[in-house]
Amino acid sequence: MDRYDAAATEPKWQAEWDGADLFRATRDERPKYYVLEMFPYPSGRIHIGHVRNYTMGDVIARYKMSCGFSVLHPMGWDAFGMPAENAAMASGGHPKDWTYQNIDVMRGQMKPLGLSIDWSREFATCDPEYYGQQQALFLDMLEAGLVYRKPAVVNWDPVDMTVLANEQVIDGKGWRSGAEVERKELVQWAFAISSMAEDLLESLGRLDDWPEKVRLMQENWIGKSRGLEMTFKLTEPAHGHAGIDIYTTRPDTLRGASFIAIAPEHPLAKALAAEDADLAAFSTEVRKGGTTEEALEKAEKRGYDTGLTVDNPLGGTLPVWVANFVLMDYGTGAIFGCPAHDQRDLDFARKYGLPVIDTFVAMDDDSRVETEAFVPPKTEKVRWIDQPAGVEVATGQEAIDATIDWAEREGLGRGRTQFRLRDWGLSRQRYWGCPIPVVHCDACGVVPEKKENLPVRLPDDVTFDVPGNPLDRHPTWRDVACPSCGKPAKRETDTMDTFVDSSWYFARFTAPHAKTPTNLDDAAYWMNVDQYIGGVEHAILHLLYSRFFARAMVRTGHLPKGTEEPFDALFTQGMVTHPAYVTKGDKGQPVYHLPEEVDISAKTVKATGETIEIVPAIKMSKSKKNVVDPMDIIAQYGADTARWFVISDSPPERDFEWTPEGAEAVAKHLARVHRLASDILRADRPANDADKELEKQTARAIHEVTQGIEGFAFNKAVAKLYEFTNTLHRSDAGAEARRTAMKVLAQLMAPMVPHLAEEIWSMLGGEGFVVTAPWPVADPALLVDDTVTLPIQINGKRRSELVVAKDAPKSEVEALALADPAVVRALDGAQPKKLIVVPGRIVNVVV
Ligand code: ANZ
Ligand code: ZN
């Protein structure tokens, strides 16, 4: 018996595909289809999540190819970033070597998966050919006013004397030095993404093929709100300030104001600190702690009473405090504190003994919970207390709108729409990133590098033995002639946030070797990405930045109009999970064990006999020791097994649990399909009555598998393929009919298990490759079910059923019913008292 040998078959077909250059994306008269999976970070090895992600993309790509599309399915590497520098610091190697070695390993692991990728378009974002074009794009954006310089707050490690990324700040301390991190203001580059906030928000409504939850996350991130900007007059002018401008999104709660708070970096606070050593010390002190939102949220609320007061338009005065929780780069850098309705303000008021003043009570309950601040609900009606705009019973939103109108009428302030979205600070004080292509000249200021001098290459001769950015301490790299006046000048040593690299790679894939960032003709042909696939962890920043870049590229002439929304359809896949096996350590801490170390049926650790707890299906991670290496699976069963398994068991958007038994069952099934094909090839049964039924079942299979793939319900497609395999196995149809059905089965399986499908296709004499053979089409006539199943009731109880032609005449149904064995038994030779046929529904027999 010829056993299916995946290990021999898979490389054979991969070589054949390569030889025929099947997956090279070509511009021709066919309609195009661009499918893209979020490109990987070259961390070292591929994991099973990658396999699931790329298999999904490959199913779509191969399916579309069969449907007659010219498919673009590229792959690249998101290759800049911190881990390479960390590895260099740990091992003394070079980030570049580490990165390219990892890429080689991962490419080597990906190729055996048999993905239909156009490898001629591969690039890594750390290739100078790529980042040089990114620099060109940056310069065009600079000219268009889409990127600019502004002061921004960074995490500063005072011991290592270096800027830290947010993830390098752990519990407010530098990850290497352990020193308390300070906030420091530096001049940084920023992309003007907030200038497009309105459009980025509004266009979300047109992204019909995006998951609703992703659109919602983006909407919240952009965070549009209408509020009030209002001036509180200083009782006594101070340092040239007549008043303080505040911003609030809850003007409805103005009655509850009990203090004014300004940021430590507020101009008034700075002026006061210049004369007040205590305030200066306070400001320095609160600058400690990271810049992350989490750090700010967690930090204890602290304040300094300036002694100044403002006039409250509702009567009396309010004290002015400097507070650590007020940010300078949001709103106006000043607020009115409303302790009754804002938790931060309440914490602050408790600590410093400031009044808590209610502004409303609920409709059905006028007592209030004292311990928590509770903001008036926007959509629910409440009863207001002495509301400034005269509102009595109204929702929060109604009160907000009324108060803005009132404040405008009274000349106290003006309504203002505000977005939470800030401009995107892109400067990173790191080596392993794309150099920002500008030069600082004493005479000319900030001067863009000339385009003909791009790429500004990273120097190779750097070391990581001391903290900080090696570009800063490189002996010669910084020294250049000013591109404008030619005098000695200094290069910018900051590099770009790695999110920049991934914000336009999809456009670069359309012309990866162009001497400009893109080629408009190619971009016009291939854009948009028809199907984008990736993890939901990128739902916010990556997608938002890409949407911004697409707009910026249209504006700077690097993408054609109409590609502002670059991803037509988005699919976010679930994770691959696996149980974890845990025992308790001596301090009660969890100790994880590798699957091979435990006896799962006895629930013990093999070596020690300790009882294990099995944590059901959690995300795979090294620390939980529940990682399955896809390469082991491929070595054991072949790529087709891994591919089929990762998409078979659960809907693609859900998490999927990897089990060794499941993988083995898949391998067995695929071998069975191969055996079935061999049997069918040898069979010689003549054509017969069963042929028609098999033809119908084949049409059904085509229909349902196609729908499954089109609808991203790969698990349903797979389920149908199992069923159809059984049908074909049991069918008594003639050899010719079975061969035809088997070829269709191979075609329908090809997107998922391309190697096995190719093997069967060629065994059965299919023409060319299965992947390029036209996708089978179901004859609609065969999809119509022309029989019905009628239940037979005897004396009101269901006893049997009849399968009859849909258009069978009543007399025929009656005759068939009377011949039914159950009816014959019940009648025992007598005539029925009644025989009622409800056509298409039921047969009732009364005896
Ligand atoms: C009074 C008030 C009463 C506020 C209340 C909230 C609740 P969102 O909605 O996220 O945009 N705020 C304004 N500028 C700030 C700054 N620079 N630093 C820290 N907080 C600031 O947040 C807007 C609210 O955040 C504003 O509305 C203001 O507090 C605060 F029951 O004003 B609110
Ligand atoms: Zn100059």
Side-chain angles (χ1 to χ4, degrees):
M1 191 77 182
D2 31 16
R3 266 180 58 91
Y4 180 59
D5 181 0
T9 309
E10 294 186 348
K12 178 183 79 184
W13 286 110
Q14 286 163 19
E16 295 264 350
W17 297 329
D18 276 354
D21 210 10
L22 276 194
F23 307 126
R24 183 183 296 276
T26 51
R27 279 176 58 183
D28 50 38
E29 62 296 329
R30 288 176 296 172
K32 69 91 189 179
Y33 196 89
Y34 184 1
V35 55
L36 182 66
E37 300 99 48
M38 291 179 184
F39 67 163
Y41 178 76
S43 54
R45 297 180 63 77
I46 64 167
H47 57 71
I48 204 87
H50 290 129
V51 175
R52 192 171 187 224
N53 190 211
Y54 304 135
T55 300
M56 288 178 189
D58 205 45
V59 168
I60 300 285
R62 287 174 176 273
Y63 165 71
K64 289 290 176 183
M65 215 166 156
S66 293
C67 292
F69 287 86
S70 168
V71 172
L72 171 56
H73 186 206
M75 180 62 69
W77 310 93
D78 189 11
F80 274 135
M82 294 271 306
E85 283 190 35
N86 293 345
M89 274 183 246
S91 69
H94 195 285
K96 185 171 159 181
D97 299 335
W98 184 86
T99 304
Y100 281 104
Q101 277 157 19
N102 284 351
I103 289 175
D104 285 343
V105 169
M106 290 174 73
R107 188 195 305 103
Q109 295 182 314
M110 237 182 242
K111 289 223 165 159
L113 283 170
L115 303 170
S116 62
I117 284 166
D118 178 357
W119 286 102
S120 75
R121 291 176 188 252
E122 175 192 357
F123 59 76
T125 56
C126 62
D127 296 342
E129 297 73 39
Y130 181 80
Y131 71 68
Q133 296 306 331
Q134 184 161 304
Q135 291 168 339
L137 195 54
F138 179 94
L139 294 179
D140 289 345
M141 289 171 74
L142 182 61
E143 204 175 295
L146 291 166
V147 60
Y148 67 101
R149 270 158 49 96
K150 67 158 188 183
V153 181
V154 296
N155 301 303
W156 178 253
D157 184 323
V159 171
D160 276 354
M161 301 285 282
T162 186
V163 177
L164 300 178
N166 280 339
E167 52 274 25
Q168 293 175 310
V169 181
I170 295 153
D171 291 334
K173 300 202 168 65
W175 66 315
R176 282 173 111 233
S177 68
E180 201 157 336
V181 169
E182 295 173 5
R183 278 185 275 161
K184 187 172 165 168
E185 214 171 71
L186 288 183
V187 179
Q188 305 262 284
W189 289 94
F191 286 119
I193 188 170
S194 66
S195 68
M196 297 187 188
E198 186 76 64
D199 182 38
L200 288 167
L201 179 69
E202 206 222 326
S203 304
L204 285 173
R206 289 192 289 275
L207 299 176
D208 301 329
D209 273 328
W210 280 42
E212 182 58 37
K213 65 168 184 237
V214 174
R215 288 192 285 170
L216 202 67
M217 282 191 266
Q218 296 239 332
E219 184 180 325
N220 289 336
W221 188 264
I222 296 168
K224 182 177 180 173
S225 60
R226 191 165 121 83
L228 174 69
E229 197 174 294
M230 169 174 178
T231 309
F232 283 86
K233 202 166 106 15
L234 277 160
T235 313
E236 302 286 342
H239 297 277
H241 294 257
I244 297 175
D245 290 340
I246 63 93
Y247 177 72
T248 175
T249 47
R250 297 310 301 248
D252 49 330
T253 66
L254 181 61
R255 150 80 42 214
S258 64
F259 62 97
I260 298 289
I262 62 179
E265 298 87 2
H266 192 280
L268 178 58
K270 280 186 172 167
L272 290 167
E275 286 172 3
D276 178 345
D278 288 344
L279 176 54
F282 170 83
S283 296
T284 312
E285 184 61 26
V286 297
R287 228 166 265 158
K288 291 189 179 147
T291 61
T292 57
E293 243 173 76
E294 195 196 351
L296 294 173
E297 203 57 55
K298 269 199 205 155
E300 198 197 336
K301 310 287 167 280
R302 300 176 60 181
Y304 184 92
D305 187 355
T306 64
L308 300 178
T309 57
V310 295
D311 294 341
N312 184 346
L314 306 181
T317 62
L318 300 171
V320 178
W321 288 66
V322 178
N324 65 341
F325 64 89
V326 182
L327 309 171
M328 193 54 221
D329 59 358
Y330 191 59
T332 59
I335 63 161
F336 74 74
C338 182
H341 308 312
D342 182 297
Q343 192 61 43
R344 290 174 312 181
D345 297 348
L346 183 61
D347 296 345
F348 192 82
R350 289 254 169 75
K351 181 161 175 186
Y352 295 109
L354 295 158
V356 180
I357 305 159
D358 281 331
T359 69
F360 76 100
V361 288
M363 295 297 282
D364 50 356
D365 176 12
D366 51 17
S367 66
R368 84 177 282 269
V369 187
E370 295 280 337
T371 48
E372 260 178 82
F374 184 61
V375 43
K378 277 201 178 167
T379 52
E380 203 180 296
K381 287 208 188 289
V382 296
R383 277 183 285 140
W384 295 84
I385 307 163
D386 295 337
Q387 217 283 339
V391 169
E392 280 167 3
V393 171
T395 66
Q397 191 59 59
E398 287 161 355
I400 290 170
D401 295 339
T403 314
I404 294 175
D405 289 348
W406 166 83
E408 286 182 344
R409 270 199 317 274
E410 299 286 314
L412 293 166
R414 52 247 136 233
R416 172 171 146 183
T417 298
Q418 161 109 3
F419 291 90
R420 182 179 281 125
L421 182 66
R422 325 279 179 87
D423 280 344
W424 165 17
L426 69 119
S427 301
R428 296 291 179 273
Q429 292 69 34
R430 313 239 71 88
Y431 165 76
W432 195 232
C434 171
I436 295 175
V438 302
V439 167
H440 299 273
C441 170
D442 283 343
C444 316
V446 177
V447 186
E449 183 55 273
K450 290 204 176 90
K451 276 205 180 154
E452 60 261 35
N453 294 338
L454 301 183
V456 175
R457 281 173 188 269
L458 287 172
D460 285 337
D461 53 337
V462 288
T463 55
F464 295 88
D465 43 0
V466 271
N469 180 356
L471 296 177
D472 269 338
R473 51 174 193 269
H474 192 282
T476 54
W477 185 79
R478 301 182 69 175
D479 302 318
V480 283
C482 167
S484 171
C485 70
K487 291 207 199 86
K490 297 272 182 221
R491 263 193 206 298
E492 168 82 59
T493 58
D494 285 353
T495 53
M496 298 185 202
D497 180 1
T498 56
F499 270 113
V500 181
D501 314 335
S502 53
S503 294
W504 71 286
Y505 78 110
F506 51 87
R508 182 70 183 167
F509 274 138
T510 66
H513 311 297
K515 300 286 176 243
T516 43
T518 56
N519 170 315
L520 271 189
D521 269 357
D522 287 317
Y525 179 81
W526 291 115
M527 288 297 286
N528 287 334
V529 176
D530 294 276
Q531 182 67 60
Y532 198 28
I533 305 172
V536 75
E537 65 276 16
H538 294 299
I540 299 180
L541 291 185
H542 163 59
L543 292 170
L544 193 62
Y545 291 163
S546 298
R547 298 175 63 218
F548 163 70
F549 254 73
R551 284 163 170 75
M553 290 176 79
V554 171
R555 219 184 270 185
T556 51
H558 294 295
L559 277 179
K561 280 213 168 57
T563 61
E564 288 84 353
E565 287 298 343
F567 310 124
D568 279 352
L570 171 71
F571 189 85
T572 53
Q573 89 278 5
M575 288 182 310
V576 183
T577 63
H578 191 277
Y581 310 108
V582 209
T583 53
K584 274 207 176 81
D586 46 7
K587 291 183 196 76
Q589 82 278 21
V591 177
Y592 292 93
H593 302 273
L594 290 168
E596 55 266 30
E597 292 169 357
V598 299
D599 180 337
I600 294 170
S601 50
K603 293 197 173 189
T604 53
V605 179
K606 283 181 196 157
T608 61
E610 275 172 287
T611 306
I612 53 165
E613 189 202 330
I614 301 179
V615 182
I618 49 174
K619 182 179 176 170
M620 288 189 189
S621 76
K622 275 189 195 146
S623 65
K624 304 265 158 58
K625 295 204 177 175
N626 66 340
V627 178
V628 173
D629 188 335
M631 299 326 285
D632 292 348
I633 309 302
I634 294 172
Q636 196 176 355
Y637 302 117
D640 282 344
T641 292
R643 295 172 55 118
W644 180 276
F645 188 36
V646 291
I647 59 165
S648 59
D649 260 19
S650 48
E653 65 276 16
R654 297 263 189 77
D655 290 353
F656 156 73
E657 184 182 349
W658 183 277
T659 63
E661 307 81 54
E664 198 186 320
V666 168
K668 282 199 177 136
H669 173 73
L670 296 182
R672 211 177 300 131
V673 174
H674 184 261
R675 213 175 316 125
L676 178 62
S678 311
D679 293 348
I680 287 179
L681 185 63
R682 279 193 291 266
D684 56 5
R685 191 181 308 146
N688 62 59
D689 283 357
D691 290 10
K692 189 75 194 165
E693 182 57 24
L694 183 58
E695 223 183 296
K696 272 170 87 173
Q697 293 298 336
T698 307
R700 280 250 139 253
I702 295 172
H703 181 68
E704 285 181 33
V705 172
T706 306
Q707 281 200 323
I709 294 176
E710 291 268 358
F712 251 94
F714 303 134
N715 57 318
K716 284 194 192 154
V718 166
K720 184 66 196 179
L721 287 167
Y722 274 115
E723 187 197 312
F724 183 51
T725 305
N726 287 335
T727 303
L728 184 51
H729 187 81
R730 284 194 308 259
S731 167
D732 295 322
E736 196 48 47
R738 291 180 85 213
R739 269 197 280 278
T740 304
M742 189 71 219
K743 277 170 79 178
V744 171
L745 176 60
Q747 285 188 283
L748 297 179
M749 289 176 81
M752 296 87 171
V753 287
H755 311 89
L756 173 64
E758 210 69 84
E759 184 70 14
I760 293 175
W761 182 254
S762 86
M763 266 165 63
L764 295 176
E767 212 177 297
F769 293 103
V770 71
V771 55
T772 45
W775 190 252
V777 182
D779 175 356
L782 293 173
L783 292 176
V784 192
D785 222 349
D786 47 14
T787 59
V788 278
T789 305
L790 303 180
I792 300 180
Q793 286 192 355
I794 301 174
N795 291 346
K797 284 223 170 83
R798 188 188 172 121
R799 296 290 185 205
S800 185
E801 58 185 38
L802 271 186
V803 180
V804 297
K806 254 194 185 143
D807 50 3
K810 237 182 191 176
S811 56
E812 188 184 329
V813 179
E814 284 175 7
L816 285 167
L818 290 175
D820 182 89
V823 177
V824 171
R825 236 178 295 123
L827 286 174
D828 199 15
Q831 283 296 311
K833 282 196 187 127
K834 266 184 195 165
L835 178 58
I836 308 157
V837 174
V838 185
R841 296 284 304 281
I842 202 166
V843 180
N844 272 309
V845 188
V846 182
V847 296

